[in-house]
Amino acid sequence: MESSKQEPVEESSSAAAASGVVESTDLEPGGEILEKLKGDRIGETMYSERFVLSTVLKLPQLETPLAEDEDFEKDLCSLWDMTIEADVVLFLLKHDVVELLIGLAEGSEDHRLVEILLGIVGNMCCLEETHKVLYENNSLFLSLCGFLESSDTLTLVQLMRIFTTILDKSDDEAFCWFKVIREQEDITEKLAFILSSTTSSELIQHTLETVHAMVNRFTEAEVDYAQLNEFYKMFAKPCLIEGLMEGFKQIYPESGAVSQFEEEYLTSKDLKIIQKFLEIHENFIINANEVYADKIEAIVYCVHRILIPLSSDGSLLPISKAHVRILVCINSIYSAIVYHFHAGTFLALVKIYTILAKVQEQTGAKISEPMDADAEDDDASSDGEFDIQTALGETLETLYFMAEPIDGLTISNALRASTLNEETIAKLCTALRETMAGDPLLGRTCDLLLESARQVWGQQERGRS
């Protein structure tokens, strides 16, 4: 990630060798500047060792707010940008800069300075060599966790970037981050507070990504059964579930000019956020469902809000693996909260079915079985046709879980409020018989759906006559 404040730097040829970036005009073959750079550049980059070290060495001497020293702020932002290069990161690690940056950030009340220092550390976490420094020096990681109590949004955003990068990219064999994380007091409560209290969509998204990374790392990568129980005891808490719900509502409010749902359109970024949000709940609701005892209505509400825009052609097509994972998660959630019917969710799923069925009919492919919960969602052999088939299978199974225990009157009332027709329900039942073949209650459920449809549209026909 690049710095949040960038300005081009114009330099004279005499100063070029001592700065961070060199103009191409200064690099003529055999030129004096080029020869100097060969001994000063960092690795294979054209960045200057002298500039980097002089910038770092000025940090402890800073006595005024960074905003009052525009030139130095510009230099720090340049250094921040440089740290997307591995050679620069290795050079900084060689000089123990991580310890310096975190120590200065910890002792500073200058939010802009802290943001930049943590931003540099975040970029440095692109290399596992940085992870090793943080892992082996537990006090450094403890200092980072101290920033969870910061009131500055941009500081917290950079902190979440660090956590997410570490948990996503650290080698499972080399590090056991759960041992480190579990030593941090009240970390779940602090993450929950950030999610539930901030009004910054950016911070919510980054915190959501951190929680998602923690769930993935600690439940799938490196913990044994005993540690898994410890993880759920530590993280599967009502406060975190409530924080996730509040954060979701903040990003996607129910009404208002900024409501993404009102537009009935989801961007690829929205889809990724929603996917991670649902994957967290999928994991918790399957493995620690007791924490949802009084939160079923809340998760059903969130699923409904997601399905409103997802059931439009513009948001659903072309279908991606993020779409498929979202539908897989919704299926898993409804599999866990059986005997719960929501009319709006039911109708949105039927609409999704009709859109996907139309595309599937055009390709001539058969509907696949619902995806295994442990299946990889980024299988390189998957193509659009496979995604359509899988999405259809997941949608049909979710509809079945919703309809199977419900009485005909409830379904009739839902259909009566829709723009669907009897033919759509008939096709849905045909697809259900193929997808759910062998289920002992399949016949009863399909008969229930068809009878509910006939009752609704039969009444409407009689009313018109």
Side-chain angles (χ1 to χ4, degrees):
M1 179 176 178
E2 297 183 351
S3 64
S4 57
K5 182 176 180 180
Q6 304 177 49
E7 297 179 13
V9 182
E10 297 184 1
E11 302 169 296
S12 66
S13 58
S14 61
S19 65
V21 182
V22 179
E23 299 292 336
S24 60
T25 55
D26 297 317
L27 302 178
E28 297 177 0
E32 181 181 354
I33 297 298
L34 182 59
E35 292 304 312
K36 288 182 179 179
L37 282 172
K38 287 182 179 179
D40 184 50
R41 70 182 185 182
I42 299 174
E44 297 301 315
T45 74
M46 296 306 294
Y47 295 129
S48 163
E49 289 186 359
R50 195 182 323 166
F51 170 81
V52 170
L53 287 177
S54 65
T55 302
V56 170
L57 290 172
K58 286 178 185 177
L59 278 168
Q61 303 169 20
L62 187 65
E63 296 180 352
T64 60
L66 190 59
E68 296 180 10
D69 191 339
E70 293 184 7
D71 290 339
F72 186 53
E73 181 179 4
K74 188 183 296 183
D75 287 345
L76 276 180
C77 287
S78 295
L79 178 59
W80 188 355
D81 291 337
M82 290 177 194
T83 51
I84 64 173
E85 295 285 350
D87 284 341
V88 175
V89 174
L90 291 173
F91 178 73
L92 292 171
L93 289 173
K94 177 182 175 182
H95 293 278
D96 299 325
V97 171
V98 173
E99 293 90 331
L100 174 65
L101 297 177
I102 294 177
L104 291 173
E106 187 179 24
S108 176
E109 296 182 359
D110 185 337
H111 292 319
R112 176 59 176 161
L113 177 63
V114 173
E115 178 201 359
I116 294 175
L117 296 180
L118 293 186
I120 293 172
V121 174
N123 279 0
M124 293 179 70
C125 286
C126 67
L127 294 187
E128 283 202 355
E129 286 84 350
T130 306
H131 304 179
K132 183 178 180 181
V133 171
L134 294 174
Y135 183 74
E136 293 180 346
N137 191 338
N138 203 357
S139 63
L140 287 179
F141 197 83
L142 181 63
S143 296
L144 285 174
C145 289
F147 288 105
L148 284 168
E149 298 182 11
S150 172
S151 60
D152 181 62
T153 296
L154 295 177
T155 294
L156 289 169
V157 166
Q158 298 308 325
L159 180 66
M160 296 307 163
R161 283 186 57 237
I162 294 171
F163 288 161
T164 302
T165 305
I166 288 173
L167 294 168
D168 278 343
K169 297 184 180 297
S170 283
D171 179 75
D172 294 334
E173 299 298 325
F175 309 104
C176 182
W177 283 106
F178 185 66
K179 289 195 305 183
V180 180
I181 294 289
R182 68 185 179 186
E183 295 175 7
Q184 312 311 315
E185 186 176 358
D186 298 330
I187 190 169
T188 306
E189 287 77 5
K190 291 171 182 175
L191 290 169
F193 178 77
I194 292 169
L195 285 165
S196 61
S197 62
T198 184
T199 58
S200 166
S201 294
E202 182 183 17
L203 178 54
I204 292 170
Q205 291 167 24
H206 280 283
T207 308
L208 184 73
E209 289 175 354
T210 295
V211 175
H212 182 266
M214 286 181 175
V215 171
N216 282 354
R217 166 50 58 90
F218 300 151
T219 62
E220 298 177 6
E222 61 178 297
V223 297
D224 57 26
Y225 184 76
Q227 288 177 315
L228 193 61
N229 285 340
E230 187 176 356
F231 165 77
Y232 285 118
K233 182 178 179 180
M234 180 175 176
F235 282 97
K237 295 181 178 180
C239 66
L240 183 58
I241 304 304
E242 291 164 3
L244 289 165
M245 302 290 188
E246 288 301 316
F248 174 85
K249 293 176 184 178
Q250 184 67 38
I251 301 176
Y252 300 115
E254 186 171 6
S255 61
V258 297
S259 175
Q260 300 268 351
F261 292 109
E262 297 294 327
E263 299 173 6
E264 290 199 342
Y265 180 75
L266 295 173
T267 66
S268 58
K269 180 180 179 181
D270 292 324
L271 290 172
K272 290 177 182 178
I273 294 169
I274 289 169
Q275 176 186 341
K276 291 179 179 180
F277 172 80
L278 289 175
E279 284 178 344
I280 294 169
H281 287 292
E282 177 190 33
N283 185 293
F284 282 147
I285 206 166
I286 290 174
N287 298 292
N289 58 8
E290 66 278 358
V291 79
Y292 287 86
D294 59 347
K295 294 174 178 59
I296 298 300
E297 293 297 331
I299 189 63
V300 167
Y301 165 85
C302 291
V303 169
H304 178 226
R305 298 286 294 140
I306 290 165
L307 288 173
I308 291 173
L310 200 67
S311 60
S312 68
D313 290 50
S315 288
L316 189 61
L317 300 175
I319 198 164
S320 67
K321 290 178 177 59
H323 289 98
V324 176
R325 276 299 302 156
I326 287 169
L327 292 171
V328 169
C329 290
I330 291 173
N331 187 5
S332 298
I333 289 169
Y334 264 92
S335 299
I337 56 170
V338 291
Y339 306 114
H340 196 98
F341 183 85
H342 186 279
T345 298
F346 179 80
L347 295 176
L349 285 168
V350 174
K351 189 175 180 182
I352 289 173
Y353 157 75
T354 60
I355 295 171
L356 296 177
K358 183 178 180 180
V359 176
Q360 183 262 343
E361 185 178 349
Q362 293 170 349
T363 65
K366 292 184 178 180
I367 300 172
S368 69
E369 294 296 321
M371 181 184 289
D372 189 301
D374 296 325
E376 293 291 337
D377 66 304
D378 57 352
D379 185 356
S381 66
S382 299
D383 55 24
E385 183 176 298
F386 174 84
D387 291 338
I388 291 288
Q389 296 173 44
T390 305
L392 260 173
E394 298 294 333
T395 302
L396 287 165
E397 187 169 308
T398 308
L399 282 165
Y400 184 77
F401 282 131
M402 291 190 70
E404 183 268 319
I406 304 303
D407 62 88
L409 179 61
T410 300
I411 296 175
S412 295
N413 289 336
L415 295 175
R416 190 172 288 110
S418 73
T419 58
L420 302 172
N421 57 44
E422 187 175 349
E423 181 183 2
T424 299
I425 302 302
K427 289 182 178 180
L428 171 63
C429 289
T430 299
L432 281 174
R433 292 182 192 280
E434 179 181 344
T435 303
M436 306 301 296
D439 190 286
L441 296 177
L442 176 60
R444 171 196 172 279
T445 303
C446 288
D447 289 344
L448 178 67
L449 286 168
L450 287 170
E451 181 57 34
S452 299
R454 293 189 189 106
Q455 181 181 357
V456 172
W457 286 292
Q459 289 176 352
Q460 292 177 352
E461 288 295 327
R462 289 192 294 274
R464 283 193 290 270
S465 63

